[in-house]
Structure formats: structure tokens, C-alpha cells
Amino acid sequence: MIKSKGWNWNIVVGEHEDYWKNPSIESYYLLNRWLSQNKKEFLDLGCGLGRHSILFGKNGFNVHCMDISQDAVDKTRAWAETEKMTFDYAVSDMLNLPYEDNSMDCILCRNVISHTDTEGMKKVINELYRVLKNGGECYLTLGSKDTWGFKQEDWPLIDANTKLRMEEGPEYKTPHFYVNYEDAKNLFSDFNIITIYQVVDYFEKEDKVYDSYHYHLLIKKED
Ligand SMILES: C[S@@+](CC[C@H](N)C(=O)[O-])C[C@H]1O[C@@H](n2cnc3c(N)ncnc32)[C@H](O)[C@@H]1O
């Protein structure tokens, strides 16, 4: 299994930092959904700068934030302190979640669990299943094989589904695991898949248009 490697958040500044401090569009839907289901224990898996921890913390959830990057957890803690909120923090690898079995009501891992290889992905999914309570839900994204990154021939292939990202930046040399629809469905066959869809983000850099495809899944551990 490939060694895990987190993001280098210290080089994320300016408009990039602003981007990662604004909650994702779907997090507002999840907030309403999980409030209406009286969910309480919220795990922000791979919390980054803490945009979702802050949103859920402000809305009454008990927030558990974890990331493999010490900087990510430090920056989330500093932000939470300015908002006078106290969370449960952990610097840890998603391959071994530092939580009890059946302890989380809801988990958000947006653009996180793809940072491993095929063997690591199976381990992460077992961990999600283990820490979720019966009836608990998880929202996650997975890199799609349709995305530009998977098509980069000069990025090293780690296994049939995994590439090492060689672009300079915070994700330099982090593993990226990619799926198609069948892969995504099969990986989560132990869960009830409530929704699954593919989203494409377009962004322009140095006059080039990039198309970044991700599968978004909302899954439930059945009672
Ligand atoms: C694209 S960022 C997303 C951050 C956050 N989920 C958000 O939406 O703002 C990916 C995060 O996953 C973390 N990460 C990568 N590999 C990890 C691992 N093996 N265990 C825990 N966190 C990991 C990175 O350090 C980084 O903070």
C-alpha cells in the first residue's frame, strides 16, 4: 500500500485560501438534512482549513476534525478559537480512524478519500463502515476516471486506478485514486447508496481549460 501523504497547506494563500474557507455547495444541503435527522456527532474527515467543521459547529453539531496534516488541524483549531468554538481534534491517517466503532452519526469527506491507492481505498471504506453508527450517513467524493488528471501520461501509475499527482502545489506527489460508475458502486456495496452523481468543475489556468470530474456519493449504513 502506498504511504499516505497530506496536503501542504502552508503554500495555500490568497484566493486559493479563500476558496478552501468557503463551505462547499452541498454542505448546506447536508447540514439541513442531518439537522432534520437529529444527527449530532459529525466527523469532518480530512478537514483541511476547517470550512465544514466551522459550518457544522455553528449549527450545534459535536464536531470531530481530523486530518493527516498537522497544519490543517492547527489552522482549523485557530479558526474555531476565533469563533469561540471547541472541537475534538486529531492528526491521524484515514487508514486507521482514531474513533470508536459506531460512534459517528454523519461523516463528510469531500475530496479526501481518493488520496490513497486501491488497497488503501478498501481500508478507508472499512473504517467508514466501522465508525458510523447504524443509520449513520456519509457524503464523499471520488476522482473520476474521466478527469484530466487520470489522463496525464507522465504522472506515474501506482496501480490500475491510482496515479501520483506531479503538478507543483499543495498536492505535489500525493496519490490519487480514480473510479468509474461501476467501480464506485462496487466499492460501496456494503452501504445503501442513496445518491450517486458525477460533477464536472471547469477551471482555467494559463489559458488552458481543465475539466475536473468527481463522483459524489451519499451513503448510509443500514440499521
Ligand atoms: C482537497 S483537501 C479537502 C479538505 C476539506 N475536506 C475541504 O473540503 O475543505 C484534502 C485533505 O485531505 C487530507 N488528507 C490527505 N490524505 C489523508 C489521509 N491519509 N488521512 C487523513 N487526511 C488526509 C489532506 O491533508 C487535505 O487536508
Side-chain angles (χ1 to χ4, degrees), residues 166-180:
M166 300 308 286
E167 194 191 31
E168 290 294 336
E171 313 182 65
Y172 182 59
K173 288 199 171 166
T174 56
H176 280 63
F177 172 88
Y178 299 91
V179 294
N180 58 29

Side-chain angles (χ1 to χ4, degrees), residues 147-167:
T147 209
W148 68 282
F150 192 60
K151 296 173 190 157
Q152 299 306 298
E153 284 175 7
D154 51 344
W155 289 7
L157 197 63
I158 305 300
D159 61 41
N161 308 305
T162 314
K163 285 215 163 207
L164 213 54
R165 189 168 178 128
M166 300 308 286
E167 194 191 31

